[in-house]
Amino acid sequence: MDVSLTTWLITIAVTIAFFVFEFFTHVRKPHEPTIGESARWSAFYIGLALLFGVGIGFVSGWGFGGEYFAGYLTEKALSIDNLFVFLLIMTGFAVPRMYQQKVLMIGIVIALIMRAGFIAAGAALIENFSWVFYLFGALLFVLAYQQIKGDHGGNAADNAFVKIARRVLPVDDEFHEDKFTVKKGGKRFVTPLLLCVIAIGFVDLVFALDSIPAIYGLTNEAYIVFTANAFALMGLRQLYFLIGGLLERLVYLSQGLAIILAFIGVKLVFHALHVNEVPFINGGEPLLWVPEIPIWFSLLFIGATITVATIASLAKTRGDAQKAKRDEVDGEKVTVAKDSDDPTRR
């Protein structure tokens, strides 16, 4: 895929423009978005991402188009997992809903910057060292195991970065609208809102380690990696408010992501063996008999896994809610029956 410097510059400029537009039209004035507002903008950004993928297919070929769609689906699923941790952090800091947009916006921008750095580093490693595919594959297996355990690094609202910030910075424990700092008695203090941003920045760093090896298992094209990540993060703020209540119902999301990460890990190891240059494996010669998993199969597998995980999650939580309701009704019936048999209550 031949991407000119001009195309890169235009893509980066348009991405920055979207985030600037978001800030001045939605985030600058603190408010809690309505369901309608969140739904419209979420649909807009998802539609834009799909149109971009179709454009890649027409301009560069549907092989690259398929890589983009597989990468976008994977990054979107991982980003929704990010949202769940963001929700835990917001709850931990008790951030008022009307101020959460600003924190999310900054957190998403930090995430994109960190991922851009990892994308550049990953592209350089892949270009010069084919053994990095083994490393990425092993990392994805570890991350898949952590997803099964639901391990996101402990209490994200009280991580090492936040503890250091509390020791180094003068902290005021009260919110002052959407301000990050406040002046009291001639001294400048940081507010819990800034600590929340620091916590989210740390989580973004951890999640970048998930997302970049995962998408490099689906494509070697840095341009596709960047645009899939950018589109996955665009609209994430609106999606947070749209599916905030649904996040807690996606009980099998971690298991679904674990399966996807493990699958991409296998795909990476197969590719590493197919282009092997490591001297202690087959004498440094490629193992050409090892199959390459085609992108169309990856796309179907990822889409099916996300669908099954979502449907199974909603079915389980609905079943649990119905069971809890039946138990409550049965408990009330037992109480009424006991009361009717108790002569002291007659």
PDB file of all heavy atoms in Angstrom, residues 70-89:
ATOM      1  N   ALA A  70     -11.191  -5.351   9.671  1.00  0.00           N
ATOM      2  CA  ALA A  70     -10.833  -6.260  10.769  1.00  0.00           C
ATOM      3  C   ALA A  70     -10.151  -5.488  11.893  1.00  0.00           C
ATOM      4  O   ALA A  70     -10.439  -5.703  13.081  1.00  0.00           O
ATOM      5  CB  ALA A  70      -9.919  -7.382  10.253  1.00  0.00           C
ATOM      6  N   GLY A  71      -9.256  -4.573  11.514  1.00  0.00           N
ATOM      7  CA  GLY A  71      -8.568  -3.753  12.522  1.00  0.00           C
ATOM      8  C   GLY A  71      -9.522  -2.828  13.246  1.00  0.00           C
ATOM      9  O   GLY A  71      -9.447  -2.675  14.471  1.00  0.00           O
ATOM     10  N   TYR A  72     -10.439  -2.219  12.494  1.00  0.00           N
ATOM     11  CA  TYR A  72     -11.405  -1.289  13.108  1.00  0.00           C
ATOM     12  C   TYR A  72     -12.307  -2.025  14.097  1.00  0.00           C
ATOM     13  O   TYR A  72     -12.554  -1.534  15.209  1.00  0.00           O
ATOM     14  CB  TYR A  72     -12.242  -0.629  12.016  1.00  0.00           C
ATOM     15  CG  TYR A  72     -13.376   0.220  12.563  1.00  0.00           C
ATOM     16  CD1 TYR A  72     -13.131   1.443  13.177  1.00  0.00           C
ATOM     17  CD2 TYR A  72     -14.699  -0.212  12.470  1.00  0.00           C
ATOM     18  CE1 TYR A  72     -14.169   2.217  13.686  1.00  0.00           C
ATOM     19  CE2 TYR A  72     -15.743   0.551  12.980  1.00  0.00           C
ATOM     20  CZ  TYR A  72     -15.474   1.758  13.580  1.00  0.00           C
ATOM     21  OH  TYR A  72     -16.505   2.510  14.092  1.00  0.00           O
ATOM     22  N   LEU A  73     -12.805  -3.197  13.706  1.00  0.00           N
ATOM     23  CA  LEU A  73     -13.659  -3.981  14.611  1.00  0.00           C
ATOM     24  C   LEU A  73     -12.916  -4.334  15.892  1.00  0.00           C
ATOM     25  O   LEU A  73     -13.458  -4.214  16.999  1.00  0.00           O
ATOM     26  CB  LEU A  73     -14.120  -5.264  13.918  1.00  0.00           C
ATOM     27  CG  LEU A  73     -15.411  -5.207  13.104  1.00  0.00           C
ATOM     28  CD1 LEU A  73     -15.674  -6.557  12.453  1.00  0.00           C
ATOM     29  CD2 LEU A  73     -16.585  -4.795  13.973  1.00  0.00           C
ATOM     30  N   THR A  74     -11.663  -4.780  15.754  1.00  0.00           N
ATOM     31  CA  THR A  74     -10.870  -5.161  16.924  1.00  0.00           C
ATOM     32  C   THR A  74     -10.616  -3.957  17.822  1.00  0.00           C
ATOM     33  O   THR A  74     -10.793  -4.029  19.045  1.00  0.00           O
ATOM     34  CB  THR A  74      -9.531  -5.775  16.479  1.00  0.00           C
ATOM     35  OG1 THR A  74      -9.778  -6.926  15.665  1.00  0.00           O
ATOM     36  CG2 THR A  74      -8.693  -6.195  17.682  1.00  0.00           C
ATOM     37  N   GLU A  75     -10.213  -2.834  17.230  1.00  0.00           N
ATOM     38  CA  GLU A  75      -9.924  -1.636  18.017  1.00  0.00           C
ATOM     39  C   GLU A  75     -11.182  -1.081  18.670  1.00  0.00           C
ATOM     40  O   GLU A  75     -11.126  -0.569  19.792  1.00  0.00           O
ATOM     41  CB  GLU A  75      -9.260  -0.576  17.146  1.00  0.00           C
ATOM     42  CG  GLU A  75      -7.882  -0.949  16.621  1.00  0.00           C
ATOM     43  CD  GLU A  75      -6.903  -1.262  17.736  1.00  0.00           C
ATOM     44  OE1 GLU A  75      -6.909  -0.556  18.756  1.00  0.00           O
ATOM     45  OE2 GLU A  75      -6.139  -2.222  17.598  1.00  0.00           O
ATOM     46  N   LYS A  76     -12.320  -1.174  17.987  1.00  0.00           N
ATOM     47  CA  LYS A  76     -13.570  -0.681  18.560  1.00  0.00           C
ATOM     48  C   LYS A  76     -13.951  -1.519  19.778  1.00  0.00           C
ATOM     49  O   LYS A  76     -14.393  -0.985  20.805  1.00  0.00           O
ATOM     50  CB  LYS A  76     -14.691  -0.726  17.515  1.00  0.00           C
ATOM     51  CG  LYS A  76     -15.874   0.181  17.842  1.00  0.00           C
ATOM     52  CD  LYS A  76     -15.481   1.635  17.776  1.00  0.00           C
ATOM     53  CE  LYS A  76     -16.649   2.582  17.980  1.00  0.00           C
ATOM     54  NZ  LYS A  76     -16.241   3.993  17.977  1.00  0.00           N
ATOM     55  N   ALA A  77     -13.789  -2.852  19.648  1.00  0.00           N
ATOM     56  CA  ALA A  77     -14.106  -3.732  20.781  1.00  0.00           C
ATOM     57  C   ALA A  77     -13.184  -3.449  21.962  1.00  0.00           C
ATOM     58  O   ALA A  77     -13.623  -3.386  23.114  1.00  0.00           O
ATOM     59  CB  ALA A  77     -13.989  -5.197  20.357  1.00  0.00           C
ATOM     60  N   LEU A  78     -11.897  -3.264  21.686  1.00  0.00           N
ATOM     61  CA  LEU A  78     -10.948  -2.934  22.758  1.00  0.00           C
ATOM     62  C   LEU A  78     -11.256  -1.558  23.360  1.00  0.00           C
ATOM     63  O   LEU A  78     -11.088  -1.355  24.561  1.00  0.00           O
ATOM     64  CB  LEU A  78      -9.515  -2.969  22.219  1.00  0.00           C
ATOM     65  CG  LEU A  78      -8.938  -4.359  21.932  1.00  0.00           C
ATOM     66  CD1 LEU A  78      -7.644  -4.250  21.137  1.00  0.00           C
ATOM     67  CD2 LEU A  78      -8.702  -5.143  23.215  1.00  0.00           C
ATOM     68  N   SER A  79     -11.709  -0.626  22.527  1.00  0.00           N
ATOM     69  CA  SER A  79     -12.049   0.706  23.025  1.00  0.00           C
ATOM     70  C   SER A  79     -13.263   0.656  23.943  1.00  0.00           C
ATOM     71  O   SER A  79     -13.333   1.404  24.931  1.00  0.00           O
ATOM     72  CB  SER A  79     -12.326   1.656  21.849  1.00  0.00           C
ATOM     73  OG  SER A  79     -11.158   1.852  21.080  1.00  0.00           O
ATOM     74  N   ILE A  80     -14.227  -0.209  23.643  1.00  0.00           N
ATOM     75  CA  ILE A  80     -15.387  -0.371  24.530  1.00  0.00           C
ATOM     76  C   ILE A  80     -14.933  -0.934  25.874  1.00  0.00           C
ATOM     77  O   ILE A  80     -15.441  -0.555  26.931  1.00  0.00           O
ATOM     78  CB  ILE A  80     -16.457  -1.260  23.861  1.00  0.00           C
ATOM     79  CG1 ILE A  80     -17.075  -0.516  22.672  1.00  0.00           C
ATOM     80  CG2 ILE A  80     -17.542  -1.661  24.861  1.00  0.00           C
ATOM     81  CD1 ILE A  80     -18.024  -1.341  21.843  1.00  0.00           C
ATOM     82  N   ASP A  81     -13.943  -1.823  25.833  1.00  0.00           N
ATOM     83  CA  ASP A  81     -13.370  -2.322  27.083  1.00  0.00           C
ATOM     84  C   ASP A  81     -12.705  -1.175  27.846  1.00  0.00           C
ATOM     85  O   ASP A  81     -12.773  -1.105  29.076  1.00  0.00           O
ATOM     86  CB  ASP A  81     -12.352  -3.426  26.775  1.00  0.00           C
ATOM     87  CG  ASP A  81     -12.022  -4.273  28.000  1.00  0.00           C
ATOM     88  OD1 ASP A  81     -12.939  -4.525  28.803  1.00  0.00           O
ATOM     89  OD2 ASP A  81     -10.859  -4.662  28.154  1.00  0.00           O
ATOM     90  N   ASN A  82     -12.051  -0.264  27.101  1.00  0.00           N
ATOM     91  CA  ASN A  82     -11.502   0.951  27.725  1.00  0.00           C
ATOM     92  C   ASN A  82     -12.592   1.730  28.451  1.00  0.00           C
ATOM     93  O   ASN A  82     -12.380   2.241  29.557  1.00  0.00           O
ATOM     94  CB  ASN A  82     -10.900   1.881  26.658  1.00  0.00           C
ATOM     95  CG  ASN A  82      -9.581   1.367  26.118  1.00  0.00           C
ATOM     96  OD1 ASN A  82      -9.340   0.176  26.055  1.00  0.00           O
ATOM     97  ND2 ASN A  82      -8.747   2.282  25.700  1.00  0.00           N
ATOM     98  N   LEU A  83     -13.757   1.834  27.803  1.00  0.00           N
ATOM     99  CA  LEU A  83     -14.857   2.604  28.382  1.00  0.00           C
ATOM    100  C   LEU A  83     -15.275   2.057  29.737  1.00  0.00           C
ATOM    101  O   LEU A  83     -15.617   2.812  30.642  1.00  0.00           O
ATOM    102  CB  LEU A  83     -16.065   2.604  27.437  1.00  0.00           C
ATOM    103  CG  LEU A  83     -15.989   3.489  26.198  1.00  0.00           C
ATOM    104  CD1 LEU A  83     -17.305   3.431  25.442  1.00  0.00           C
ATOM    105  CD2 LEU A  83     -15.642   4.922  26.553  1.00  0.00           C
ATOM    106  N   PHE A  84     -15.264   0.718  29.856  1.00  0.00           N
ATOM    107  CA  PHE A  84     -15.648   0.113  31.125  1.00  0.00           C
ATOM    108  C   PHE A  84     -14.689   0.547  32.237  1.00  0.00           C
ATOM    109  O   PHE A  84     -15.110   0.873  33.348  1.00  0.00           O
ATOM    110  CB  PHE A  84     -15.663  -1.412  31.011  1.00  0.00           C
ATOM    111  CG  PHE A  84     -16.147  -2.100  32.252  1.00  0.00           C
ATOM    112  CD1 PHE A  84     -17.494  -2.146  32.566  1.00  0.00           C
ATOM    113  CD2 PHE A  84     -15.252  -2.680  33.134  1.00  0.00           C
ATOM    114  CE1 PHE A  84     -17.948  -2.767  33.719  1.00  0.00           C
ATOM    115  CE2 PHE A  84     -15.684  -3.302  34.297  1.00  0.00           C
ATOM    116  CZ  PHE A  84     -17.046  -3.341  34.580  1.00  0.00           C
ATOM    117  N   VAL A  85     -13.395   0.587  31.935  1.00  0.00           N
ATOM    118  CA  VAL A  85     -12.403   1.014  32.926  1.00  0.00           C
ATOM    119  C   VAL A  85     -12.542   2.513  33.193  1.00  0.00           C
ATOM    120  O   VAL A  85     -12.414   2.973  34.336  1.00  0.00           O
ATOM    121  CB  VAL A  85     -10.977   0.668  32.461  1.00  0.00           C
ATOM    122  CG1 VAL A  85      -9.951   1.097  33.507  1.00  0.00           C
ATOM    123  CG2 VAL A  85     -10.848  -0.828  32.208  1.00  0.00           C
ATOM    124  N   PHE A  86     -12.818   3.297  32.130  1.00  0.00           N
ATOM    125  CA  PHE A  86     -13.074   4.730  32.324  1.00  0.00           C
ATOM    126  C   PHE A  86     -14.237   4.942  33.282  1.00  0.00           C
ATOM    127  O   PHE A  86     -14.208   5.832  34.137  1.00  0.00           O
ATOM    128  CB  PHE A  86     -13.387   5.412  30.994  1.00  0.00           C
ATOM    129  CG  PHE A  86     -12.205   5.579  30.077  1.00  0.00           C
ATOM    130  CD1 PHE A  86     -12.364   6.094  28.806  1.00  0.00           C
ATOM    131  CD2 PHE A  86     -10.926   5.214  30.470  1.00  0.00           C
ATOM    132  CE1 PHE A  86     -11.290   6.255  27.946  1.00  0.00           C
ATOM    133  CE2 PHE A  86      -9.835   5.357  29.625  1.00  0.00           C
ATOM    134  CZ  PHE A  86     -10.022   5.885  28.358  1.00  0.00           C
ATOM    135  N   LEU A  87     -15.284   4.126  33.133  1.00  0.00           N
ATOM    136  CA  LEU A  87     -16.450   4.217  34.007  1.00  0.00           C
ATOM    137  C   LEU A  87     -16.059   3.946  35.456  1.00  0.00           C
ATOM    138  O   LEU A  87     -16.502   4.648  36.376  1.00  0.00           O
ATOM    139  CB  LEU A  87     -17.518   3.225  33.550  1.00  0.00           C
ATOM    140  CG  LEU A  87     -18.811   3.165  34.378  1.00  0.00           C
ATOM    141  CD1 LEU A  87     -19.540   4.498  34.330  1.00  0.00           C
ATOM    142  CD2 LEU A  87     -19.723   2.045  33.881  1.00  0.00           C
ATOM    143  N   LEU A  88     -15.208   2.941  35.666  1.00  0.00           N
ATOM    144  CA  LEU A  88     -14.744   2.628  37.024  1.00  0.00           C
ATOM    145  C   LEU A  88     -13.940   3.796  37.613  1.00  0.00           C
ATOM    146  O   LEU A  88     -14.065   4.120  38.798  1.00  0.00           O
ATOM    147  CB  LEU A  88     -13.894   1.356  37.006  1.00  0.00           C
ATOM    148  CG  LEU A  88     -14.596   0.046  36.637  1.00  0.00           C
ATOM    149  CD1 LEU A  88     -13.597  -1.096  36.625  1.00  0.00           C
ATOM    150  CD2 LEU A  88     -15.721  -0.250  37.612  1.00  0.00           C
ATOM    151  N   ILE A  89     -13.105   4.415  36.773  1.00  0.00           N
ATOM    152  CA  ILE A  89     -12.295   5.544  37.238  1.00  0.00           C
ATOM    153  C   ILE A  89     -13.187   6.732  37.602  1.00  0.00           C
ATOM    154  O   ILE A  89     -13.021   7.359  38.654  1.00  0.00           O
ATOM    155  CB  ILE A  89     -11.264   5.950  36.168  1.00  0.00           C
ATOM    156  CG1 ILE A  89     -10.220   4.838  35.980  1.00  0.00           C
ATOM    157  CG2 ILE A  89     -10.559   7.247  36.553  1.00  0.00           C
ATOM    158  CD1 ILE A  89      -9.278   5.085  34.834  1.00  0.00           C
TER     159      ILE A  89
END
